Amino acid sequence: MEQKNAINKNARPAAASAPKSEEKGGGAAFAAIVIPLAFVVALVLYKFVLGNGANFQGGNNENLPLPGNILGTIYAGGFIVPILLTLLILVITFTIERLLTIGKAKGSKSIESFVRSIRQKLNTNDVNGAVAVCDQQKGSVAAVVKAGLLKYREMEQDRVMEKDQKVLAIQKEIEESTALELPMLEKNLVILSTIASVATLVGLLGTVFGMIRAFSALANAGAPDAAALSTGISEALINTALGIGTSALAIVAYNYFTSAIDQLTYSIDETGFSIIQTFAAQHGETHHGATETYKA
C-alpha cells in the first residue's frame, strides 16, 4: 500500500512538466476564438431573436413585452443580457468540447474493463497480450499503460541494469507518458470554474441596474404606479435567473469533469502499480534503494 501511494505522489508532479506549456497554448488559442465568437452569437440572439418586434406590444421592442412572452421579457433585462448569454454559450461549448476530449481519452471500452483486462494479462505474465489490449482500447490511458508495458518488455531483455534500476526505469516511463497525455484533460476547466463564480454576480449586477431603472421611472412619473414597478422588477429579476442558471450548469459540468479526470488518473496509477509489482515479482525482489524510492 505504501508503494502504491508513493507511485501516486511521484506521478502527479511529473504531469506538470514540459508539455503543459504546449497544452496551455492550444487551450488559449481555442478560447481566444470561442469567447469573441460566443459574444457575437449572443448579440445576434439578443437583437434579432429576443428583440424581435413580434415579442412586444405594437411590434416595437421599445414597448412592453407581450403578456406571457418570455423572449420579450428577457430582452427587457437590458444590456447585461448579452453578457449572460455569452457566458451560457461558453458553458455549453466548453462542456461539449470536454466531453469529446475526455471520451476520447477513455478509449473504446470502459476504463474499469480495460484495467481489469490489463491486470488479468499481467497475472499470467502475458505482456504482449496486455499491449494488444492497449492497442484495442486506444485513448490517453491506454497510451500511458502501453508505454509502461513496452518499457517492461525492454527491461526484460536488458542484461546490464540491476533489478531495482529496471523497476525505476519502468516507473519513470509511466510518469513521463502521464505528463504527455493527461494535462490536456484539464484544459479549459478553469474557464468553467470562473464562469461558475462570475455568472451569478453578473446576473445580480443586471438586477441592480434594472431595479435602479424601475425606481427612477417611478420617481420621474411622480405618482406611484404598482403595475410599472412590478413589471420593472420582473424584468430585472430575469438577469438573476439567467446568472444563477448559467452558474449552476457550469458547476455541474466542472464537478463532473474533475471527477472523470480523477478516475482516469487513478486508473493509470493502479495499472502502473500492477505493472511495476508484476515485474518485481517475476524478476525477484528489488534492492533496498528501489524500495526507498517508492516511499520517497
Side-chain angles (χ1 to χ4, degrees):
M1 187 66 184
E2 290 181 350
Q3 293 180 348
K4 186 172 182 178
N5 291 335
I7 293 175
N8 292 347
K9 292 178 181 178
N10 291 337
R12 298 296 175 85
S17 60
K20 202 158 189 176
S21 60
E22 298 178 6
E23 297 297 340
K24 284 185 176 180
F30 180 75
I33 295 172
V34 170
I35 292 175
L37 185 61
F39 183 68
V40 171
V41 172
L43 282 177
V44 171
L45 289 175
Y46 179 72
K47 298 294 289 185
F48 299 104
V49 178
L50 301 179
N52 191 304
N55 301 321
F56 299 86
Q57 297 176 9
N60 188 342
N61 60 19
E62 294 183 359
N63 297 330
L64 292 175
L66 292 172
N69 190 290
I70 300 299
L71 297 181
T73 303
I74 295 175
Y75 177 85
F79 70 94
I80 295 293
V81 172
I83 300 175
L84 291 170
L85 289 177
T86 300
L87 296 178
L88 179 59
I89 292 171
L90 289 176
V91 170
I92 295 172
T93 301
F94 286 115
T95 296
I96 294 173
E97 186 262 343
R98 287 295 88 194
L99 282 173
L100 294 175
T101 300
I102 294 178
K104 183 179 178 181
K106 288 181 178 179
S108 58
K109 298 189 299 184
S110 70
I111 291 297
E112 293 79 6
S113 176
F114 170 69
V115 172
R116 186 165 54 250
S117 298
I118 293 295
R119 298 187 73 172
Q120 289 173 352
K121 296 295 183 182
L122 289 175
N123 288 338
T124 60
N125 200 28
D126 184 7
V127 178
N128 292 331
V131 172
V133 171
C134 292
D135 290 334
Q136 295 173 358
Q137 178 73 9
K138 300 180 181 179
S140 298
V141 176
V144 173
V145 175
K146 182 178 179 180
L149 292 171
L150 293 178
K151 178 61 70 171
Y152 181 112
R153 196 159 58 188
E154 178 186 338
M155 291 298 100
E156 280 188 320
Q157 300 172 356
D158 190 286
R159 296 293 180 266
V160 178
M161 298 174 63
E162 297 288 342
K163 293 186 180 71
D164 55 351
Q165 293 176 326
K166 293 179 180 180
V167 170
L168 291 176
I170 296 172
Q171 180 184 358
K172 182 179 179 182
E173 182 68 23
I174 294 173
E175 293 174 2
E176 291 177 350
S177 299
T178 301
L180 290 172
E181 295 289 343
L182 289 191
M184 69 175 183
L185 300 180
E186 297 180 354
K187 185 174 62 177
N188 297 327
L189 285 186
V190 65
I191 296 177
L192 287 177
S193 66
T194 301
I195 293 175
S197 302
V198 169
T200 302
L201 298 178
V202 174
L204 290 174
L205 182 63
T207 299
V208 170
F209 285 146
M211 296 290 287
I212 291 173
R213 288 197 304 269
F215 283 104
S216 296
L218 285 178
N220 293 332
D225 187 342
L229 180 61
S230 299
T231 301
I233 291 175
S234 65
E235 292 171 354
L237 291 177
I238 287 294
N239 290 289
T240 300
L242 280 175
I244 292 176
T246 301
S247 179
L249 287 176
I251 291 171
V252 170
Y254 180 82
N255 288 336
Y256 172 79
F257 292 135
T258 53
S259 297
I261 292 170
D262 287 343
Q263 181 185 15
L264 294 180
T265 305
Y266 177 78
S267 298
I268 290 177
D269 291 340
E270 183 180 11
T271 310
F273 177 75
S274 297
I275 293 172
I276 293 174
Q277 285 295 92
T278 300
F279 186 90
Q282 294 291 334
H283 300 82
E285 294 295 329
T286 60
H287 290 180
H288 180 71
T291 304
E292 289 299 320
T293 302
Y294 297 151
K295 297 180 179 180

